């Protein structure tokens, strides 16, 4: 089935079995293997990418559902030699051990920070009508869809915090 | 996944027409639950009708002071809507208690209502399950039933409905709008959407096959005697985030709905009636729980609700329990 998806700024024409998930299209068809397959059931967050700027689990979406969409993967966030600030922050803060969850953590963090900037509440938001204060509890809650089996959570919080700035 | 064909609907009318004309077709919007189940071959549609881009995603004020939420509005957009946050906080609280940020960004209002149980026997295709394979039996009855129903269960099925959002919508007395396969629009109370398992737990709603949910309509926010909002959602689960509930409660005005304890969001009408007659929260939930039943491992849910509901009622009333 013919589908065109803009991936990291480049329009990619694909011809796919409708069963192909967005994750498999990225990894197997486009060979963008930065996005990782963990559980393949939306439970671990390793496959997180940005679709039109919004973070989603690419394993729980069919590629054909994204015809015309703009997808950003970790390869589009930054490259060796031209790292994005969030990528440099993960290095500086030692925010991983094995690194398998890291592309998903970083894409999720970018989506999460945009959600905070847009004023979206979480279950840690006590006053639903006030501006969001990105406390550490808020940050952890908003990142709960990304599992790290090496348990680098304190460093992940530190890395995201270093990019987000202190809670106002 | 089993092979299937795919089409993108361009209108709600076209979507229901396609569903009526195509055998074993299913609507897909966010897909977060359906695709999970298709990978496990619990769901095996022959055709998918993608309704995710239908122009029914808006959240609009209604003439009577309520809110109409289009079926394709994402869970994230509904939770973040300024009108929902200020006038229906119980709905925002319930939505952000469910799933993860990634899932809520993809999941839709209509799809959330129609998500399927997380019962382990429904998910394990090597085990009996009357919901997945009618007539095969219920593995949960004598098995791992820690998260099974305590209200409205049958000998055929003790599964629970997993939605948080639907519990809040039930307490808010929402109305569901649909388009039937013949193109007929209808609307009905959310309590009439889901059914109890009875002898046919595979039939989970009163929707006609191929009927599409197009919107959920909220009446004006409830007012308590003091003119306050009186809304709160509380959820108890095994970990602090990103886990299905063991029990939850939504309070909105004088209405109470319970989650993760029945085959559908459970409107606690007996507790509501007791409260209206002046009973305390503790007394009111005791009346409701007098009709609860339990299996080997889920009796603790009765104790959970006995403690949780009075606290939520007190919180909604702005007083300590």
């Amino acid at each position: 089935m013919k589908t065109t998806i803009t991936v990291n700024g480049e329009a990619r024409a694909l011809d796919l079995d409708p069963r192909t998930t967005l994750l498999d299209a990225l990894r197997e068809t486009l060979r963008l293997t930065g996005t990782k397959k963990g559980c393949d059931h939306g439970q671990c967050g390793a496959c997180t990418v940005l679709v039109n700027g919004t973070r989603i689990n690419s394993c729980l979406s069919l590629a054909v559902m994204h015809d015309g969409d703009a997808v950003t993967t970790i390869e589009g966030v930054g490259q060796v030699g031209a790292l994005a600030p969030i990528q440099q922050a993960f290095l500086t803060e030692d925010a991983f051990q094995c690194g398998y969850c890291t592309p998903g953590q970083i894409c999720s963090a970018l989506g999460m920070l945009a959600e905070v900037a847009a004023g979206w509440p979480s279950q840690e938001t006590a006053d639903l009508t006030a501006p969001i204060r990105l406390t550490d509890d808020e940050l952890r809650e908003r990142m709960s869809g990304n599992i790290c089996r090496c348990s680098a959570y304190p460093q992940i919080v530190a890395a995201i915090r270093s990019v987000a700035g202190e809670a106002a | 996944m089993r092979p299937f064909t795919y089409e993108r609907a361009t209108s709600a009318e076209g979507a229901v027409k396609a569903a009526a004309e195509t055998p074993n077709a299913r609507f897909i919007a966010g897909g977060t639950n359906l695709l999970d189940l298709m990978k496990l071959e619990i769901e095996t549609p022959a055709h998918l009708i993608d309704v995710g881009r239908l122009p029914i995603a808006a959240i609009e004020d209604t003439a009577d002071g309520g809110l109409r939420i289009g079926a394709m509005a994402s869970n994230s957009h509904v939770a973040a809507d300024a009108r929902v946050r200020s006038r229906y906080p119980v709905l925002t609280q319930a939505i952000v208690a469910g799933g993860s940020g990634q899932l809520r960004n993809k999941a839709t209002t209509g799809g959330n209502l129609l998500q399927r149980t997380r019962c382990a026997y429904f998910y394990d295709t090597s085990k009996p399950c009357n919901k997945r394979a009618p007539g095969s039996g219920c593995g949960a009855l004598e098995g791992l039933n820690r998260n099974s129903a305590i209200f409205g269960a049958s000998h055929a099925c003790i599964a629970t409905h997993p939605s948080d959002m639907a519990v809040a919508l039930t307490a808010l007395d929402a109305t569901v709008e649909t388009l039937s396969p013949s193109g007929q629009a209808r609307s009905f109370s959310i309590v009439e959407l889901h059914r109890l398992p009875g002898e046919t737990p595979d039939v989970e709603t009163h929707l006609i096959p191929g009927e599409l949910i197009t919107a959920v309509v909220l009446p004006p926010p409830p007012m308590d005697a003091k003119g306050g909002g009186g809304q709160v959602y509380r959820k108890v689960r095994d970990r602090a985030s990103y886990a299905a509930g063991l029990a939850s409660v939504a309070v909105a005005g004088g209405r109470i709905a319970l989650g993760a304890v029945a085959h559908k969001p459970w409107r606690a009408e007996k507790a509501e009636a007791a409260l209206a007659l002046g009973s305390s929260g503790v007394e009111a939930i005791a009346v409701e729980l007098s009709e609860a039943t339990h299996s080997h491992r889920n009796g603790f849910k009765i104790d959970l609700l006995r403690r949780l509901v009075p606290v939520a009622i007190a919180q909604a009333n702005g007083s300590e329990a």
Side-chain angles (χ1 to χ4, degrees), chain B residues 186-227:
Chain B
R186 65 176 182 130
S187 65
F188 47 86
S189 167
I190 190 165
V191 297
E192 293 164 26
L193 174 62
H194 300 99
R195 57 187 296 285
L196 291 175
E199 299 297 323
T200 53
D202 54 312
V203 184
E204 296 176 348
T205 71
H206 291 289
L207 295 177
I208 304 160
E211 187 170 12
L212 179 70
I213 295 176
T214 52
V216 171
V217 182
L218 302 178
M223 288 290 191
D224 62 24
K226 288 172 276 184

Side-chain angles (χ1 to χ4, degrees), chain B residues 85-152:
Chain B
R85 280 192 277 163
S86 61
R87 284 153 54 194
Y88 305 97
V90 66
L91 181 54
T92 292
Q93 290 168 1
I95 291 173
V96 298
S100 65
Q102 290 97 313
L103 290 171
R104 294 192 294 270
N105 286 344
K106 202 77 181 12
T108 62
T109 303
N112 185 309
L113 291 174
L114 298 181
Q115 66 181 301
R116 308 201 65 190
T117 186
R118 304 295 193 270
C119 179
Y121 296 88
F122 177 70
Y123 265 80
D124 185 345
T125 51
S126 72
K127 297 288 193 297
C129 171
N130 287 321
K131 183 182 286 299
R132 171 172 40 74
S136 62
C138 172
L141 278 177
E142 302 293 330
L144 299 173
N145 48 33
R146 181 169 176 268
N147 206 7
S148 298
I150 57 170
F151 289 112

Side-chain angles (χ1 to χ4, degrees), chain A residues 147-158:
Chain A
I147 310 297
C148 172
R149 281 200 66 180
C150 306
S151 211
Y153 297 112
Q155 293 86 350
I156 292 170
V157 171

